[in-house]
């Protein structure tokens, strides 16, 4: 039995197909960027990988990324700043989920109702977080934002 392809291989392959069809005159079926996430068999699924591909055929690896819409650039900058403030030891699952929710709250007003968060754990095990779990994180973030607005004295 053959080994499963790596996430890098899949991203390169997808980017190659996107670039091939973009080169053909008048044909552009892949007019979108894609995010490809997964784990590799060679490290027993311990490290997640995230790649972005685009219609031009480029692919790049990211630690955190946002694509699409008018706010992609500002969200990418937000993710870069917030991610740099964390060191590798602090990257717990809950902090990563919180960072994703914070980024989504930058562009979404209605809280957890319009968010879908998927956590990929060691071994490639995926879990879609329930709306209630996401709402708990949203409430924590909003409470902290309200506390910051009040200032250090605690008065309005």
């Amino acid at each position: 039995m053959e080994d499963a392809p790596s996430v890098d291989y899949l991203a390169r392959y997808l980017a190659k197909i996107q670039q091939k069809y973009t080169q053909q005159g008048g044909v552009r079926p892949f007019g979108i960027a894609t995010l490809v996430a997964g784990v590799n068999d060679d490290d027993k699924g311990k490290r997640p990988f995230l790649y972005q591909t685009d219609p031009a055929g480029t692919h790049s690896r990211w630690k955190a990324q946002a694509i699409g819409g008018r706010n992609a650039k500002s969200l990418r900058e937000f993710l870069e700043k917030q991610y740099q403030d964390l060191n590798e030891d602090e990257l717990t699952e809950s902090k990563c989920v919180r960072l994703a929710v914070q980024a989504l709250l930058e562009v979404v007003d209605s809280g957890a109702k319009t968010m879908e968060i998927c956590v990929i754990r060691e071994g490639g095990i995926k879990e879609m977080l329930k709306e209630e779990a996401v709402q708990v994180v949203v409430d924590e973030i909003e409470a902290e934002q309200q506390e910051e607005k009040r200032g250090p004295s605690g008065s309005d």
Side-chain angles (χ1 to χ4, degrees), residues 144-156:
E144 286 178 16
Q145 289 172 342
Q146 290 298 324
E147 191 67 31
E148 288 174 10
K149 284 181 183 177
R150 283 189 219 131
S153 65
S155 61
D156 291 316

Side-chain angles (χ1 to χ4, degrees), residues 23-130:
Q23 290 292 317
Q24 295 177 357
V27 178
R28 193 169 181 164
F30 303 106
I32 59 169
T34 58
L35 291 177
V36 179
V39 294
N40 292 333
D41 284 345
D42 61 350
D43 69 350
K44 309 249 187 303
K46 291 188 185 292
R47 270 184 66 209
F49 293 93
L50 177 66
Y51 288 86
Q52 176 184 348
T53 69
D54 64 39
T58 61
H59 76 288
S60 52
R61 192 163 107 190
W62 294 84
K63 292 184 178 180
Q65 176 62 303
I67 60 173
R70 295 179 298 267
N71 301 315
K73 184 177 183 215
S74 62
L75 282 176
R76 188 176 311 111
E77 290 168 357
F78 172 83
L79 287 169
E80 286 174 2
K81 182 192 180 319
Q82 297 300 320
Y83 196 93
Q84 288 173 359
D85 290 345
L86 299 170
N87 65 44
E88 293 293 320
D89 296 333
E90 293 178 321
L91 288 176
T92 63
E93 180 180 306
S94 61
K95 286 190 179 184
C96 290
V97 167
R98 180 184 171 85
L99 178 58
V101 171
Q102 279 180 297
L104 289 171
L105 284 173
E106 294 288 312
V107 294
V108 172
D109 291 330
S110 54
K113 288 187 184 343
T114 56
M115 293 183 194
E116 289 184 355
I117 306 288
C118 180
V119 175
I120 301 175
R121 294 195 177 88
E122 189 173 315
I125 299 166
K126 296 180 283 263
E127 178 191 358
M128 292 299 295
L129 298 183
K130 296 195 180 323

